[in-house]
C-alpha cells in the first residue's frame, strides 16, 4: 500500500527555507501506514528539500547566507539567460528529495531535525510531493 500527497506553497521571499515537517507528519498520520519509507520530492529546478536543525531560526538564515556566498545571486560570468543560475546551483547542491524511515507510525528524525522546502528563485507558487510506501 502507498499514499501520495501533493502540497502547494506560496513563497513570498526571493530565498527562503520553509519548515514542512508538520505537513509531512500529518500526511503520515492520514496514511495510517505504520512501517515503511517516506519520500519528499520537489519538482522544481530552482528549489529543493533538505533536513537541518529546527530549533534555532538562525540556522536557516546561516544556510541561506552560506549558499549565497558560494553561489551569489549576481555574478557577471553566469551565462543562463533567465538570470537565475545561482538558483539552479543551489538547488543541485541541496537536492530535490529526501527519504525517511517510518517506524511504528512515526517519522524517524533526530531530536533537532526538521524538513525544509528550500526556495532559491522566489517569490513563487511551488509544490512538493510526499509519497509514503508501506513495507
Amino acid at each position: 500500500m502507498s499514499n501520495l500527497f501533493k502540497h502547494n506553497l506560496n513563497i513570498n521571499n526571493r530565498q527562503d527555507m520553509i519548515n514542512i515537517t508538520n505537513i509531512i507528519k500529518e500526511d503520515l498520520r492520514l496514511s495510517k501506514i505504520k512501517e515503511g519509507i517516506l519520500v519528499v520530492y520537489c519538482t522544481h529546478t530552482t528549489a529543493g528539500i533538505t533536513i537541518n536543525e529546527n530549533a534555532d531560526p538562525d540556522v536557516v538564515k546561516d544556510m541561506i547566507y552560506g549558499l549565497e556566498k558560494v553561489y551569489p545571486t549576481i555574478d557577471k560570468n553566469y551565462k543562463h539567460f533567465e538570470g537565475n543560475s545561482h538558483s539552479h546551483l543551489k538547488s543541485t547542491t541541496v537536492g530535490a528529495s529526501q527519504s525517511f524511515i517510518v517506524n511504528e507510525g512515526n517519522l524517524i528524525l533526530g531530536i533537532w531535525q526538521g524538513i525544509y522546502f528550500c526556495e532559491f528563485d522566489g517569490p513563487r507558487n511551488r509544490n512538493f510531493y510526499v509519497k509514503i510506501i508501506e513495507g
Side-chain angles (χ1 to χ4, degrees):
M1 182 167 131
S2 68
N3 289 278
L4 180 66
F5 299 88
K6 180 180 179 181
H7 298 283
N8 185 270
L9 297 172
N10 185 13
I11 300 169
N12 296 318
N13 297 322
R14 173 98 174 144
Q15 298 183 77
D16 207 348
M17 291 174 63
I18 296 95
N19 189 332
I20 58 173
T21 310
N22 288 335
I23 295 169
I24 294 163
K25 286 181 177 180
E26 179 63 11
D27 291 347
L28 179 56
R29 187 188 69 74
L30 292 170
S31 78
K32 299 182 179 162
I33 291 176
K34 300 297 180 197
E35 302 291 333
I37 300 294
L38 185 149
V39 178
V40 182
Y41 177 69
C42 167
T43 61
H44 307 285
T45 61
T46 57
I49 304 291
T50 196
I51 305 164
N52 217 302
E53 182 178 325
N54 65 359
D56 182 352
D58 285 338
V59 170
V60 166
K61 293 174 189 166
D62 291 346
M63 291 288 299
I64 292 169
Y65 170 78
L67 287 166
E68 182 64 22
K69 240 180 125 167
V70 174
Y71 308 116
T73 299
I74 306 294
D75 186 317
K76 65 180 178 170
N77 294 311
Y78 290 146
K79 304 296 184 224
H80 184 45
F81 73 96
E82 287 184 73
N84 62 352
S85 291
H86 69 97
S87 302
H88 292 284
L89 292 162
K90 292 169 187 169
S91 172
T92 297
T93 300
V94 167
S97 68
Q98 295 288 329
S99 301
F100 302 90
I101 297 168
V102 175
N103 184 56
E104 297 178 356
N106 296 307
L107 191 61
I108 303 299
L109 286 171
I111 191 166
W112 304 113
Q113 287 182 323
I115 307 164
Y116 291 88
F117 184 96
C118 305
E119 175 59 60
F120 301 119
D121 195 27
R124 298 210 184 237
N125 288 316
R126 299 292 200 174
N127 52 49
F128 68 93
Y129 291 85
V130 177
K131 179 74 169 179
I132 308 168
I133 305 161
E134 189 171 37

